[in-house]
Amino acid sequence: MPLFDAPLAIVDVETTGSDPASDRISEIALLEIDGFALTRQWSTLVNPGRAVPGAIQALTGITQSMVDRAPRFADIAGELHTRLEGRVFVAHNVRFDYGFLRREFERAGIKYQAKTLCSVRLSRRLYPDEEGHDLDSLIVRHGLTCGARHRAAPDAVAVWQFLRIAAAEHGEDIFAVAARQVAKQPTLPPHLERGAIDAIPDAPGVYMFYDDGAAPLYVGKSRAMRSRVLQHFIATASWTPRVRRIEWQRTAGELGALLREAEMVKALDPVYNRQLRRPGKLCGFAFDGTRLRLAGGDEIDAETLPFVYGLWRSRAAAMQALRTAADEHRLCLQTLGFDVKKQGSCLRHQMGRCSGVCAGKENIHVHHARVATALARLKSADWPHRGPLGVVEHDRGRDATEVHVLDRWCYLGTATCDAEVAELLEARRPRFDYDHYRILSRHLGKRGVRVVPLAA
C-alpha cells in the first residue's frame, strides 16, 4: 500500500535509559495518520516502576513525582495495542522506540509486531548531502516546531511535520519510493526469533552467524550492529536462511570492531568470509641499491617492514605491480632478474618499454636510480611515532573505554585499564599482520583520532 494511503502510527517514547532489557518507558505519544492526514493524537506518562535517573529528568523535564502518579505500562497496554494495530510504526530512530515498546508489550503478555519506517533513514535517503539527521538537526534545517524537546508528544509532532515537508519538497512519487525502500522488512529464517536481533545493541561491535555447527557461517562488524544484522536479512545471501543463532561482542568504537573481526575471521575461519581470510603468501620487494628481490611473509615483521617496498597477498599481485612500475619508469625486468635471461636486449626494450640498460644503452647506476624512484611510491607507510601507541575509544552509552595498544603497525591487544596496558607492553612480541596494518594505517590517517604515547 502506498505510504500516502497506509495508516501510520508516529510514535515517540521517553525512557529511563537506553537499554530495552533493563530500562523502562516513562512517556509515550502516538499520532494516528490516515490518508496522510492527522486524525487522532494520544499521549500519556508511564510509571516505569523504578527511579528516573537525574540526568534523564534534567534532559526530559519528566520528574519522579510525575511518573509516580502515572499508570503502569500494563494498565495501558491493551488500549495502546488497539491504537497501533494495523498501522506502520514510524519513529525517529525507529529501532529504539520499537524495541522498547516490543519489550514492554512482551512483559505485559502481548505479542506486538509491525512494519516499521525510520525517519532518520528516510532523511538520509532524501537529503543525502546534509550532515545531520538527528531530530535537532531536522528541527533547525526544516524550521520544525517543537514545543518541548525530549518530550514524547512534541517530538512526535516534529516528525510528522518533517514527513509533510519532505513529501512537499520531493513530490509524492519520489517520497513514496524512498519510504518504501527504507521500510523494506527483513525476512528472518523461521527458526530465528526476532527477539534475538532486537537484543543486539545498535552500537559498534562484531557479530557471528551460526547454523547447527560449532563454527560460524559468517563473522561481521559494524558501527551499528543491530541495523547491519537486519540488513543481512533484507539483502539476503544464499546462506542466510541457514542462520539459527547470532552471537555478538560489543566494542567501544569502530576500530575495536575492525580489529576484533580480523582476528576472529582468522581464528574461526567462517565459511562465508572472503575478505579477511588468512593470507596465502604475503610478500613485498626488498632493494639494497643493486639487487631487487621478492621478500616472503616470513621475512616481514616489525623490524623489517621499514625496508619493504609494497605489500601484497600473492606473488602474482606483486609482479603485476612491478610490471606497471617498470612500464612507467622504463625499467629492465631482465636486468632486475624478473624476466627470462637472454643474450642482448630484452623483449621489453625491443617494444620500447625498457631504456636499454640490457643493451648497453644506459648506465646501470642511472637505471637503478630509477628503480629506487619507482619503489619509493610503493613503500609502506613509516611508523610515525617514537614508540608504542595507544588508540583510545570511548563508548558513552556504557561509559566504557578501550585502549588499542600498537607497536610499529603491529596490534598487541586491547586493554580496559592501565594494568592491562602495562601487561601488553611487557609481554609484547610484535607480530605483523597485513589486515591489521591496513586497518591501522587507514584509521590513524583520520582526523580526531585520540592517541596516547606509551612508554617503551
Side-chain angles (χ1 to χ4, degrees):
M1 180 184 296
L3 189 69
F4 283 86
D5 299 326
L8 310 179
I10 300 177
V11 179
D12 189 87
V13 301
E14 302 301 328
T15 65
T16 61
S18 59
D19 186 355
S22 57
D23 293 306
R24 298 293 186 270
I25 290 174
S26 57
E27 188 178 35
I28 305 171
L30 166 64
L31 307 184
E32 297 178 35
I33 311 297
D34 297 282
F36 213 62
L38 176 61
T39 53
R40 281 175 294 277
Q41 184 171 338
W42 178 88
S43 66
T44 181
L45 289 165
V46 179
N47 187 337
R50 62 191 57 206
V52 179
I56 300 293
Q57 293 188 48
L59 177 68
T60 64
I62 299 173
T63 65
Q64 190 68 48
S65 61
M66 291 167 65
V67 296
D68 284 345
R69 299 190 299 267
R72 292 186 177 263
F73 187 87
D75 299 328
I76 62 167
E79 179 186 359
L80 178 60
H81 188 270
T82 300
R83 290 179 177 274
L84 290 170
E85 195 170 13
R87 296 182 177 272
V88 177
F89 189 103
V90 183
H92 209 65
N93 188 14
V94 73
R95 294 260 51 86
F96 179 87
D97 302 81
Y98 184 64
F100 262 95
L101 273 176
R102 277 176 56 91
R103 283 299 182 95
E104 293 282 21
F105 276 126
E106 186 178 306
R107 295 185 191 103
I110 298 174
K111 185 176 181 179
Y112 174 65
Q113 192 164 354
K115 292 183 178 180
T116 61
L117 173 64
C118 180
S119 51
V120 174
R121 294 182 60 202
L122 184 61
S123 176
R124 286 178 180 148
R125 185 169 289 272
L126 291 173
Y127 301 93
D129 296 330
E130 301 291 347
E131 289 190 7
H133 298 278
D134 57 278
L135 194 53
D136 287 322
S137 297
L138 266 59
I139 289 170
V140 172
R141 185 161 64 242
H142 299 287
L144 310 181
T145 301
C146 187
R149 184 73 176 91
H150 297 295
R151 291 298 301 269
D155 284 359
V157 169
V159 172
W160 170 228
Q161 292 175 46
F162 164 71
L163 293 182
R164 287 188 298 159
I165 289 172
E169 290 182 350
H170 290 83
E172 180 176 335
D173 290 342
I174 292 175
F175 180 82
V177 168
R180 190 162 55 247
Q181 291 171 337
V182 167
K184 189 174 181 182
Q185 299 296 301
T187 303
L188 300 184
H191 30 259
L192 184 65
E193 288 290 333
R194 177 58 182 260
I197 295 178
D198 289 340
I200 302 172
D202 221 22
V206 294
Y207 54 89
M208 294 77 72
F209 291 141
Y210 291 85
D211 57 7
D212 289 327
L217 296 170
Y218 182 83
V219 174
K221 55 88 184 52
S222 178
R223 288 179 293 180
M225 284 189 290
R226 189 196 308 124
S227 296
R228 182 68 189 99
V229 166
L230 282 169
Q231 192 62 36
H232 281 285
F233 300 103
I234 293 175
T236 58
S238 61
W239 52 269
T240 49
R242 295 169 52 188
V243 176
R244 290 182 174 271
R245 63 186 174 93
I246 304 171
E247 295 181 1
W248 52 271
Q249 297 178 17
R250 186 167 178 172
T251 60
E254 181 183 17
L255 178 59
L258 288 164
L259 294 169
R260 189 82 54 85
E261 179 198 32
E263 284 197 320
M264 294 181 73
V265 168
K266 291 181 177 66
L268 301 175
D269 197 26
V271 178
Y272 293 100
N273 282 86
R274 297 178 181 176
Q275 294 299 319
L276 293 172
R277 290 295 184 98
R278 193 182 305 277
K281 302 211 176 189
L282 184 67
C283 57
F285 290 104
F287 183 58
D288 61 6
T290 59
R291 178 171 172 256
L292 181 70
R293 68 182 185 87
L294 200 56
D298 57 343
E299 301 178 73
I300 301 173
D301 56 25
E303 301 289 343
T304 62
L305 185 62
F307 308 103
V308 174
Y309 297 92
L311 291 170
W312 293 273
R313 292 186 186 273
S314 68
R315 177 184 173 86
M319 288 305 303
Q320 181 57 49
L322 179 61
R323 282 190 289 270
T324 300
D327 287 346
E328 184 178 349
H329 294 271
R330 294 172 60 80
L331 304 178
C332 182
L333 294 180
Q334 177 178 293
T335 301
L336 292 173
F338 288 94
D339 207 348
V340 179
K341 195 79 173 172
K342 58 185 283 256
Q343 288 291 337
S345 62
C346 69
L347 179 61
R348 286 172 51 81
H349 176 59
Q350 296 171 32
M351 298 172 62
R353 295 181 181 177
C354 161
S355 290
V357 66
C358 53
K361 295 181 180 180
E362 181 182 37
N363 182 285
I364 187 70
H365 300 296
V366 173
H367 176 267
H368 282 5
R370 285 207 317 284
V371 172
T373 299
L375 291 174
R377 297 186 181 182
L378 301 176
K379 193 173 186 309
S380 305
D382 289 328
W383 178 243
H385 306 279
R386 293 185 176 180
L389 189 74
V391 181
V392 182
E393 291 188 301
H394 184 67
D395 182 349
R396 287 183 293 180
R398 296 180 300 158
D399 193 24
T401 298
E402 291 179 347
V403 179
H404 310 295
V405 182
L406 321 176
D407 184 16
R408 293 165 292 175
W409 298 120
C410 298
Y411 170 56
L412 304 184
T414 295
T416 57
C417 63
D418 291 341
E420 292 179 1
V421 170
E423 185 177 333
L424 287 171
L425 290 172
E426 184 178 350
R428 82 173 176 269
R429 291 180 290 275
R431 183 180 62 83
F432 182 78
D433 180 278
Y434 179 64
D435 292 310
H436 287 162
Y437 167 74
R438 292 182 65 194
I439 291 167
L440 295 171
S441 59
R442 289 173 182 171
H443 190 82
L444 290 178
K446 297 179 179 179
R447 292 182 180 180
V449 176
R450 183 183 169 195
V451 299
V452 291
L454 302 174

